[in-house]
């Protein structure tokens, strides 16, 4: 489905169910379909209305060829929640999706119920900022590296050691990552946003109930960064999912889904409808 914001931005979304809403926000360069295999079925079975969206920059949402800011992405999410009448909404983000959710909690807390921040941090490390900016520069220059090299580099950067030690699993991941391509100007804009400035002081003003979920072997948002974020947000909790990297919600979906359902049911201001 498509909606158009007041600013003329078209956003693609999927809305399934009629119970208490949960909105899932993806990471850099990822389409909303990444949630479909594991998280959407589990959350639907747990009695939630599940909303997914393609962030600006990811087709069929508008491509963002002129660039955009984190405030633009926050406004997009707020517009979708209001369009669907889904407030107060539970929100789950991963990576850049968590960054959007963190900023939304500051800007529009009245739209939110409970927020789960996976693979999240309050500031990016120097190496992560340098890598994101360099990848954005490759896209801007139109430089095409061998797809096999890109897939292997992404696998090393985003997967846990157990996955990388299993050649059969790794082969599947390499095929998937190779097919995903390098992205266009929208992905470039997302990459530049994924290099977070230091937002830790600002996040001390968040009043929405938040839960931070880190992945044990995450190189992008390490455990220490997740703990720092949770310590900054008043009342936030911190959990660790073992054995996986930055793509933990896809590497260990059973453990992630159990934690998501538990957290989304906790401290909620909105009642959850029971399924028959």
């Amino acid at each position: 489905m498509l909606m158009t914001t007041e600013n003329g931005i078209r956003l693609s979304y999927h809305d399934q169910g009629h119970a208490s809403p949960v909105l899932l926000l993806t990471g850099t360069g990822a389409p909303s379909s990444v949630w479909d295999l594991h998280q959407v079925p589990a959350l639907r079975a747990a009695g939630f209305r599940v909303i997914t969206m393609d962030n600006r920059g990811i087709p069929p949402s508008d491509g963002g060829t002129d660039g955009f800011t984190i405030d633009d992405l926050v406004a997009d999410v707020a517009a979708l929640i209001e369009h669907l009448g889904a407030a107060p909404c539970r929100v789950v983000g991963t990576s850049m999706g968590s960054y959007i959710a963190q900023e939304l909690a500051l800007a529009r807390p009245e739209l939110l119920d409970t927020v789960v921040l996976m693979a999240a941090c309050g500031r990016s490390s120097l190496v992560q900022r340098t890598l994101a900016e360099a990848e954005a520069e490759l896209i801007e220059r139109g430089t095409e590296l061998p797809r096999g090299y890109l897939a292997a580099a992404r696998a090393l950067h985003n997967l846990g050691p157990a996955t990388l030690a299993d050649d059969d699993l790794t082969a599947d991941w390499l095929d998937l990552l190779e097919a995903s391509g390098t992205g266009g100007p929208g992905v470039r804009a997302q990459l530049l946003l994924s290099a977070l400035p230091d937002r830790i002081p600002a996040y001390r003003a968040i009043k929405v109930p938040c839960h931070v979920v880190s992945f044990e072997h995450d190189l992008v948002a390490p455990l220490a960064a997740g703990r720092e974020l949770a310590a900054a947000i008043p009342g936030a909790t911190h959990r660790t999912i073992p054995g996986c990297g930055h793509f933990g919600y896809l590497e260990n979906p059973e453990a992630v889904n159990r934690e998501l359902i538990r957290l989304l049911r906790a401290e909620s201001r909105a009642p959850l409808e029971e399924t028959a």
Side-chain angles (χ1 to χ4, degrees), residues 55-237:
N55 292 316
R56 193 187 306 200
I58 303 298
S61 289
D62 277 350
T65 54
D66 296 327
F68 45 82
T69 67
I70 187 64
D71 290 338
D72 291 327
L73 298 184
V74 169
D76 291 346
V77 174
L80 179 63
I81 292 173
E82 291 178 322
H83 173 74
L84 296 176
C89 187
R90 298 168 173 90
V91 172
V92 176
T94 190
S95 194
M96 187 191 75
S98 290
Y99 183 23
I100 298 169
Q102 290 155 203
E103 296 296 326
L104 183 64
L106 280 174
R108 299 293 305 276
E110 75 280 5
L111 297 179
L112 301 178
D113 179 273
T114 302
V115 179
V116 180
L117 306 167
M118 299 193 298
C121 62
R123 54 182 171 177
S124 294
S125 67
L126 174 61
V127 69
Q128 185 58 29
R129 292 197 303 271
T130 302
L131 179 61
E133 290 163 2
E135 288 188 9
E137 185 176 347
L138 286 174
I139 294 174
E140 183 178 21
R141 292 183 177 187
T143 303
E144 294 191 13
L145 298 176
R147 286 182 177 267
Y149 169 80
L150 285 174
R154 288 170 180 164
L156 288 170
H157 193 219
N158 292 291
L159 301 176
T163 300
L164 294 172
D166 185 321
D167 283 348
D168 290 334
L169 275 178
T170 301
D172 291 339
W173 273 102
L174 290 174
D175 288 342
L176 178 64
L177 292 169
E178 190 168 338
S180 66
T182 57
V187 174
R188 176 184 177 276
Q190 289 190 4
L191 280 165
L192 292 173
L193 293 182
S194 69
L196 273 71
D198 186 355
R199 295 291 289 162
I200 290 295
Y203 293 154
R204 296 192 178 104
I206 291 177
K207 295 180 172 60
V208 177
C210 291
H211 306 282
V212 180
V213 177
S214 296
F215 302 128
E216 182 182 12
H217 302 293
D218 193 338
L219 300 177
V220 180
L223 278 177
R227 292 192 187 104
E228 179 185 51
L229 175 62
I233 300 173
T237 67

Side-chain angles (χ1 to χ4, degrees), residues 8-33:
I9 301 299
R10 293 178 305 167
L11 299 174
S12 169
Y13 70 93
H14 300 275
D15 185 4
Q16 303 180 49
H18 303 283
S20 295
V22 177
L23 172 61
L24 307 179
L25 300 176
T26 61
T28 303
S32 62
S33 59

Side-chain angles (χ1 to χ4, degrees), residues 228-254:
E228 179 185 51
L229 175 62
I233 300 173
T237 67
H238 181 265
R239 298 288 187 275
T240 302
I241 303 295
C244 48
H246 193 62
F247 288 166
Y249 68 107
L250 299 175
E251 276 191 279
N252 193 354
E254 292 82 7

